[in-house]
Amino acid sequence: MSTERPVRLRIDGENRTALAEPRTLLSDFLRERLGATSVHLGCEHGFCGACTVVVDGKLTLACTVLAVQADGATVETVASLENAGELDPVQQCFARHHALQCGFCTPGMLLAARDLIETIPDPSEDEIREHMSGNVCRCTGYAGIVAAVADAAQHRNGGK
Amino acid sequence: MKPAVFDYHRARNTTEALTVLRDRGADGAVLAGGQSLVPLLTQRAARPGFVLDINGLAELATVDNGDGLRIGALTRHHDLMTLSDRPEAALLARAAAHIAHPAVRNRGTIGGSIAFAHPAAEIPAALLALDAQIELRSASTTRTVPAIEFFLGAHRTALRADELITSVYVPPRPTDWRWAVQEIARRRGDYALALVIVGIAYDQDRVCREARVVAGGVADTPSRVRSAEEHLVGRNLVDPAVIARAGALVTQNVAGHADMHAPEKYRRRVAGTLTRRALTACLEQESHVD
């Protein structure tokens, strides 16, 4: 279409370019144009956190950003956690603590968890729940998620 | 749903942005953090023909802590949370910490919160409490509107279609003011069902010299509850009856608001409770803000 324009960005370490109309949301752009289907669509209005990604180092809800705004940006999805086929420690903690069931919220949860433990080295339970409050889970009841994040924080920061 | 078609332009500087708004503002929407606007576009609750992206206007993201506090409109809530140099700054930081959750605070801006003017938003209530002034610019004018005159109704403000909010000015105060924010919401990050911001200045004997009591979420706009403020001045804050009466005055005198989240009577009553808690917090805290 004539209103489409190129959006150049770096996603999970790879430079990519694709076309987008101004009205195309970043969430749809990442999924449909760049094949990043780990970005999940839940509410599509900034409430549930399923579409959480990291843009230029900042935790971001992809459904609240227009794709054209991300021209020149660096984007990380949950795929950025993988390290040569090995699960990231946060992912391992999620598995160990049964912090997922259907897995729909999990990509967003993992990125929010990583953002938290990089920001607050020794988070209290309240701080974990506060920081993760933008990610909704319909399956687990959150207890396993909180335990996984606490474990991941200790693991990362050399705790007991 | 997905957004309807619109034209899009990313402004490179404020002059360019204001020129574009002069020409197309009537059918346009200004995009800053997008945390309120983009969901509105997606739900088609807003259908502008044109979106002006102002995220490139770095000159609007500065904070100047001199005689008073001037905060650029593009300052993100996350960055507001780092302000601490004076009690007024610490109040804004505390108010910003109540907004939604980290991803929203990374992008959401103080100017956006002011322009969106949600009845239960923390920033507008804080600006009323701080006697702040809002600077507005168009291609041909610069004007200042006191916060108390800016919020006209739910999502209705004094901002004109050809104007940008460029900064907020918080006048200096003596450093003995104490502030507290109290709000109640069903879940963390939800819009408040009721929100109270209290500021008090008092002497060593705890006699109140000046007070600010602002309620949000209980009417179409935040409002100062003057009867509660006047009651507190000259009274000894150590007396629990003085605190209790302040809460009762808030309950009696806020306009009230009912919707599917909570009825009017609940919001009014809770606003009174939050007022008492906020006053108690002011008296008990060691730092300037709770």
Side-chain angles (χ1 to χ4, degrees), chain B residues 61-111:
Chain B
T62 58
V63 174
D64 184 14
N65 202 348
D67 173 35
L69 182 62
R70 184 168 292 280
I71 303 169
L74 210 53
T75 303
R76 312 283 167 175
H77 298 314
H78 176 267
D79 297 322
L80 271 186
M81 285 168 65
T82 63
L83 297 183
S84 64
D85 290 1
R86 55 177 79 184
E88 302 83 74
L91 171 64
L92 282 170
R94 194 76 186 88
H98 279 282
I99 297 173
H101 48 87
V104 171
R105 295 193 292 262
N106 282 338
R107 293 188 82 90
T109 64
I110 187 170

Side-chain angles (χ1 to χ4, degrees), chain A residues 6-29:
Chain A
V7 175
R8 285 156 287 250
L9 48 77
R10 187 167 178 78
I11 177 168
D12 298 325
E14 194 185 343
N15 292 327
R16 299 284 303 275
T17 301
L19 296 175
E21 286 183 81
R23 65 175 173 146
T24 302
L25 300 176
L26 181 63
S27 44
D28 292 316
F29 180 79

Side-chain angles (χ1 to χ4, degrees), chain B residues 193-213:
Chain B
L193 301 177
L195 155 73
V196 172
I197 296 181
V198 159
I200 43 176
Y202 52 87
D203 65 21
Q204 285 168 329
D205 295 331
R206 304 283 176 117
V207 174
C208 179
R209 189 180 78 238
E210 258 196 278
R212 290 285 181 275
V213 179

